[in-house]
Each structure stands twice: as C-alpha cells, then as structure tokens.
Amino acid sequence: SAVISQKPSRDICQRGTSLTIQCQVDSQVTMMFWYRQQPGQSLTLIATANQGSEATYESGFVIDKFPISRPNLTFSTLTVSNMSPEDSSIYLCSVKEQGGQPQHFGDGTRLSIL
Amino acid sequence: GDSVTQMEGPVTLSEEAFLTINCTYTATGYPSLFWYVQYPGEGLQLLLKATKADDKGSNKGFEATYRKETTSFHLEKGSVQVSDSAVYFCALSGNQAGTALIFGKGTTLSVSS
C-alpha cells in the first residue's frame, strides 16, 4: 500500500495565524482526502482534494478557512487559516489508490492553538 | 444519508478475555465495510475489511463478518492482549467512485494484565 508522509507531525500555533500541512505519497493515487479529528472524537471529512481543480468541501467547511491544493497525483496541502483554539485537532491526510480500496491514512498533524 | 453506529465505550477487559465491539450501518446499495485502529499518539491503520455480504475480514486475530440482513459488522477477538488497547473505528465506503469513508464515533478498548 501507499506510504503517506505528513508534515509537520505536530505544531503549537498562535491564534490568528495560519499553518500549511503537507501530504506526500510515494505513488500516484486517485483520490486524496483531508479529515479532522477533534479531541476524543471521530473523523470528519473536510474535503476531497482534486488534482488540477478546486477541492470539494463537505458541509460546514469552506475554502477560505481550509484552502487545499493538489498540484499532482502524489502531493496535497491543507492550510488552516486564521486559527482559533477551536481548530485544535488532529488533521489527517488519506489516500485511495487507483482502482482499489481501502483508504490509507498518514500519521496526522496534531495542532494546538493557544 | 449513510451512517455508522458503534457501541459506546470505553470497553475495559482483562488480558485473554473475549472482545466484541458492535457496529451497525445505514447505507443505500452495497457499501464496503472497514475496521480501523488508532493506537495512542498514532494515525489510523486499516485492521480489516469486507466488500460484500457474508465476507469475513480478519487480521491479527480480529474478525468481522459483513451481515447484510442485520446491517452489521461486529468486531470480535477471542483473546485480547494489552497491546490491543486502542481506539477502534468502524467505517463504510459507498460504491460510487471517489466516495470517502464515513466513520463511527470510535470505541476505546483498554486491556489490563
């Protein structure tokens, strides 16, 4: 299965700042997704990162707050903008390889906002 | 819409006890079903999967059978170990291309020696 590298693994940020999270895969993948896991909660899909076009956001998530890029089939970034303490979560990148299931996950980025 | 319901945790067991974590789902069509595990401080790992009715997924002593008649995918293990302590997530994926996973709320398992 694909090997997913996510950076940074953790960060502590000041409110009002922005952080960009990178997701690199060692092979070309069909689908890339970004999830949020709030403390003690399950995973919620933020958006599907589409290669060469705008991401598809789920209800409750907007591009201005969570801009996403996917310049090619192996790389994507998620930016958490204008952060507040409520954004303190684990953010996970997930991929779905061409023609197959299931989804695999990176180790996540543990984000704390002060 | 599609959804997954897991039994509430935490589940606390002694080593070598039998484990069941219940999972039921609501979905149109024939989804694929998964169990993921999250060890403390780590990301999610796929534990097992089943893609059609009556399929049994198994891995590391864990098993789950896709039961369409009861819309269930319960996770079982005959003898748990301390190292199995983790959060377990049941999830489904619809059959349309590009469908992301829908997760249950997760069940925390704590095994003591």
Side-chain angles (χ1 to χ4, degrees), chain A residues 20-104:
Chain A
T20 296
I21 302 167
Q22 298 181 0
C23 179
Q24 178 74 54
V25 191
D26 68 344
S27 61
Q28 293 187 342
V29 293
T30 307
M31 308 294 298
M32 295 182 79
F33 306 95
W34 287 98
Y35 288 82
R36 180 175 73 181
Q37 185 180 21
Q38 294 178 299
Q41 302 297 313
S42 187
L43 282 78
T44 301
L45 180 66
I46 298 172
T48 302
N50 300 310
Q51 193 260 330
S53 64
E54 194 171 284
T56 304
Y57 289 85
E58 297 299 302
S59 175
F61 297 96
V62 295
I63 188 171
D64 289 347
K65 176 67 175 176
F66 297 102
I68 288 170
S69 77
R70 190 178 173 193
N72 55 52
L73 292 176
T74 64
F75 185 78
S76 178
T77 66
L78 167 74
T79 299
V80 186
S81 303
N82 188 25
M83 290 184 284
S84 66
E86 293 71 35
D87 295 320
S88 296
S89 295
I90 302 173
Y91 292 87
L92 295 112
C93 170
S94 175
V95 305
K96 197 168 185 178
E97 294 177 77
Q98 218 164 20
Q101 292 183 30
Q103 286 179 226
H104 296 281

Side-chain angles (χ1 to χ4, degrees), chain B residues 51-64:
Chain B
T51 58
K52 61 183 188 298
D54 299 326
D55 265 3
K56 177 186 282 189
S58 61
N59 186 25
K60 299 181 181 181
F62 291 90
E63 293 183 339

Side-chain angles (χ1 to χ4, degrees), chain A residues 35 37 42 101-103 110, chain B residues 34 36 38 42 46 101 104:
Chain A
Y35 288 82
Q37 185 180 21
S42 187
Q101 292 183 30
Q103 286 179 226
R110 284 153 180 78
Chain B
F34 308 88
Y36 284 83
Q38 186 175 36
E42 299 185 13
L46 176 67
L101 289 166

